[in-house]
Amino acid sequence: KKRALKSIQKKPRHFTGKASLYRAKVQTEFEAHLSLGRSLDVVYAFEAFEDDTSVHLVLELCGGGNLLSCRNFLQSGSYSEKQVASVLRTALRSIIQCN
C-alpha cells in the first residue's frame, strides 16, 4: 500500500516564537492523528520518525485532492444545495470525530 510522507522542519524559517512551543505543536498534530484512529474524512497517521532537521509523519495516501483544488466546485461560481450539503456534512463529521 502506498503512503504519504509529510516532513515538518524542526526549526521553521518563519516561526518567531519559542522553539519548544513549535515542537509541542508538531507533537500535538501527530497525537491528534493517532487519537482519531481510522476515519472517513481525516488522514490516518501510521508512524512518525525524526532526523536532525525534521519530523516525518507517515500518513495514509489520499489521491483525491482537496476542496480548494477542486476546479469544478470553486470555479463554477454557484453551488447547488446538494454540493454544499456534502461539503458541510464531511466537515461536521470530522469535527464530531475530534471531540
Side-chain angles (χ1 to χ4, degrees):
K1 238 177 169 182
K2 292 184 178 181
R3 306 276 189 252
L5 182 67
K6 178 179 182 177
S7 297
I8 304 167
Q9 291 182 349
K10 289 182 179 178
K11 294 180 183 177
R13 292 180 212 119
H14 304 293
F15 185 76
T16 58
K18 294 182 180 178
S20 61
L21 292 177
Y22 181 78
R23 185 157 176 85
K25 177 184 174 223
V26 172
Q27 184 175 358
T28 300
E29 178 178 346
F30 183 67
E31 288 172 355
H33 276 288
L34 284 181
S35 70
L36 289 174
R38 295 272 183 197
S39 168
L40 295 174
D41 304 306
V42 179
V43 173
Y44 180 72
F46 293 98
E47 63 179 312
F49 59 95
E50 60 184 290
D51 57 27
D52 292 339
T53 61
S54 301
V55 175
H56 308 280
L57 306 178
V58 180
L59 305 171
E60 171 184 19
L61 180 63
C62 298
N66 62 45
L67 179 61
L68 296 177
S69 66
C70 181
R71 290 183 194 161
N72 293 337
F73 188 81
L74 290 178
Q75 290 181 351
S76 68
S78 63
Y79 317 109
S80 71
E81 185 176 337
K82 186 177 180 178
Q83 287 174 306
V84 173
S86 175
V87 170
L88 285 175
R89 187 177 308 111
T90 300
L92 290 173
R93 186 170 45 215
S94 297
I95 292 168
I96 289 167
Q97 283 184 310
C98 292
N99 288 321

